Amino acid sequence: MSRRSKGHDYLGWALVATALLAPLPLGGIRAFFFMFYAVVVAVMGLFYALGLYRGQVRPRLPLSAFAIPVILFGLVLVWLLVTLLPLGIAAAPEWAALSPLVDVAGRISIGPGATFDMLVRYLTYALFFVLALQVSVEKQRARTLFRLVYWGIAAHALLALASLTFFGDVLLFLPKEAYVGDATGVFVNRNSFATFAAFGAVMGTALIFGDDENDVARSRLSRILIQLGFNVAPLALIGLALAFSHSRMGMFVAALGAGVVALVAVFRSTGVRRIIAGLLIVVGLVTGAVLANTGGILFERMATIDRDADVRLAVYEQTLDLIAARPMTGFGGGTYEDAFRAVKADPIGPDVTFDAAHNLYLELAAELGIPAAIAVVLSVLLLAGTAAVAAVRRENWMIPAAAAAAVLAGAVHSLVDFSLQIPAIVLMMLLILALGFAQSRPMQQAG
């Protein structure tokens, strides 16, 4: 193994460890904890840059390989910075009382502190993704990291089940204040945990139906035992944790993502795997039909005051009013809660606050403006689209298919919730996407 290859190995392990530990605690939603992980990612980036300078590692995937997403996301970063600048734009009086952070400098953002936090998050996401790409090009390393991530998510599922049952329904070994009786793992919200677990369900399905080059040298019994122990058992654990999360939308997107992978497997796998994949799709469709007829609509139950669907629809409608007020500029990244107070009306009570729109796309448009929101979403979809094409056309389809399906699961769940605004979930999705996108490229030598 070359020195350069070992450098990428160490970086890969560090990135996997970061993605798996980022949910500790509370999904990284507290500013202090996310800033800690931002520093960790920055330090990894610094060491990688030093390795490049000294010739100890070499870049495996240049930015030019995904130029359009780089440009789109780069423009979003520039826009976040512009919204923080004192441009002398007079703030409308109705927004002046929204937040104590508003000043007379005429910044576009009504909450510079919150927007700065979002800028740091987005810079961290970008650096994390670029580093993950570099370690994901070599095929064997990518497969190893993919399995480690999968088993790590299964470990989170085991912890969630143990916290719910064995330890008496606790959150980080402390009494819960919300979602009592639901498996949440180290997340506060059951839906956030369900999205995280759904990624694992997608990966497990891909591993079960994907081809393993090492199978050729193993006996039939060994292959069966390895499948059961390393692929099927963790997937069953993840599925059980999803069921006990009681997040119906979480279970839906997990089934959707796994179903997409199974559909790819029908066309790309051979023999018994193809038959099982087809049967899985049939069983999934039948189960979905039964649930649709007996269990009501398959959408997220509302939490606390948000249980009434009319309230959720009112939030969407009033967020659209917010977008209409500043369609091009938005009110600044991370400022949704402050801005929403200006348009909040019945049936939302005066003492109720919303720090999220429960729809990622509406919230991004309200905060960043429609053009920047489109740029964020499109940058991710282009990368996922490349993985999806590779899943259909390339021989090495397993990881690209899982990456595209994981993004699909997160994107659909974001229509009715805020899972992809939880830093730990974003980092995990980006790591899976990086593995899939890198493996969508022409094969390269180890390094």
Side-chain angles (χ1 to χ4, degrees):
M1 181 182 292
S2 69
R3 188 178 181 183
R4 289 176 174 177
S5 180
K6 290 184 68 173
H8 281 115
D9 286 340
Y10 295 147
L11 178 59
W13 298 337
L15 290 168
V16 169
T18 300
L20 290 174
L21 293 175
L24 299 171
L26 311 179
I29 57 175
R30 301 290 185 266
F32 171 82
F33 295 112
F34 180 76
M35 288 301 175
F36 171 78
Y37 286 111
V39 171
V40 170
V41 174
V43 169
M44 286 192 284
L46 177 60
F47 274 100
Y48 191 75
L50 289 173
L52 291 174
Y53 177 75
R54 295 175 179 175
Q56 296 171 338
V57 294
R58 61 186 178 88
R60 303 306 316 281
L61 201 61
L63 298 182
S64 59
F66 51 109
I68 295 178
V70 168
I71 293 171
L72 288 173
F73 200 77
L75 289 173
V76 173
L77 295 175
V78 171
W79 174 244
L80 282 169
L81 185 60
V82 168
T83 63
L84 289 171
L85 298 178
L87 300 175
I89 301 174
E94 61 267 28
W95 307 111
L98 289 178
S99 170
L101 298 174
V102 175
D103 55 34
V104 295
R107 293 176 175 85
I108 293 174
S109 172
I110 65 170
T115 302
F116 178 78
D117 288 346
M118 188 172 188
L119 177 60
V120 172
R121 288 200 307 274
Y122 274 27
L123 284 169
T124 302
Y125 296 156
L127 178 57
F128 183 87
F129 181 74
V130 170
L131 292 175
L133 281 175
Q134 306 310 315
V135 304
S136 301
V137 172
E138 199 275 316
K139 183 178 180 180
Q140 192 56 48
R141 183 190 300 118
R143 284 176 173 263
T144 299
L145 296 179
F146 189 82
R147 289 188 177 92
L148 288 175
V149 171
Y150 172 55
W151 295 334
I153 295 176
H156 273 278
L158 178 61
L159 177 60
L161 291 170
S163 297
L164 177 65
T165 58
F166 185 77
F167 295 112
D169 198 9
V170 295
L171 174 63
L172 294 173
F173 303 102
L174 297 174
K176 282 184 178 179
E177 296 182 0
Y179 299 102
V180 175
D182 302 325
T184 61
V186 295
F187 294 88
V188 175
N189 188 295
R190 66 182 170 201
N191 304 314
S192 300
F193 168 71
T195 304
F196 192 79
F199 294 157
V202 168
M203 299 174 78
T205 305
L207 283 167
I208 289 172
F209 295 118
D211 295 324
D212 188 342
E213 295 175 350
N214 296 323
D215 279 351
V216 178
R218 299 187 182 114
S219 66
R220 183 179 181 85
L221 178 60
S222 295
R223 293 197 298 269
I224 292 174
L225 291 176
I226 289 173
Q227 274 279 26
L228 291 175
F230 292 101
N231 296 337
V232 177
L235 181 58
L237 194 64
I238 292 169
L240 191 61
L242 273 166
F244 277 94
S245 73
H246 304 132
S247 171
R248 287 180 288 181
M249 194 63 179
M251 287 186 281
F252 172 74
V253 298
L256 175 65
V260 168
V261 173
L263 182 61
V264 174
V266 169
F267 297 97
R268 304 305 310 276
S269 293
T270 57
V272 176
R273 283 192 174 99
R274 172 179 289 182
I275 296 172
I276 295 175
L279 290 174
L280 180 64
I281 293 173
V282 173
V283 170
L285 291 174
V286 172
T287 303
V290 171
L291 289 175
N293 289 324
T294 62
I297 59 173
L298 196 60
F299 282 99
E300 213 57 355
R301 286 190 298 262
M302 310 301 182
T304 60
I305 192 67
D306 195 22
R307 290 185 181 277
D308 188 350
D310 291 338
V311 174
R312 179 69 66 92
L313 291 174
V315 171
Y316 294 161
E317 291 172 357
Q318 293 170 29
T319 301
L320 288 172
D321 293 338
L322 201 61
I323 295 169
R326 286 189 182 183
M328 302 304 293
T329 66
F331 295 92
T335 63
Y336 178 82
E337 182 177 3
D338 286 340
F340 186 73
R341 282 200 294 265
V343 296
K344 185 176 64 176
D346 291 337
I348 303 172
D351 58 337
V352 177
T353 61
F354 279 85
D355 57 0
H358 293 267
N359 181 301
L360 173 66
Y361 313 104
L362 291 179
E363 186 167 331
L364 284 176
E367 292 184 348
L368 303 179
I370 295 174
I374 292 174
V376 172
V377 175
L378 191 58
S379 63
V380 176
L381 290 182
L382 287 173
L383 295 167
T386 300
V389 171
V392 175
R393 295 181 177 179
R394 293 186 61 82
E395 180 181 354
N396 182 28
W397 65 268
M398 181 183 74
I399 299 179
V407 172
L408 175 64
V412 172
H413 205 169
S414 294
L415 288 168
V416 294
D417 221 306
F418 51 85
S419 292
L420 289 187
Q421 287 148 293
I422 306 298
I425 297 177
V426 177
L427 290 176
M428 180 57 70
M429 189 189 76
L430 289 177
L431 178 55
I432 299 170
L433 179 58
L435 287 163
F437 181 81
Q439 287 299 298
S440 302
R441 309 290 299 173
M443 301 305 298
Q444 298 187 31
Q445 295 179 352

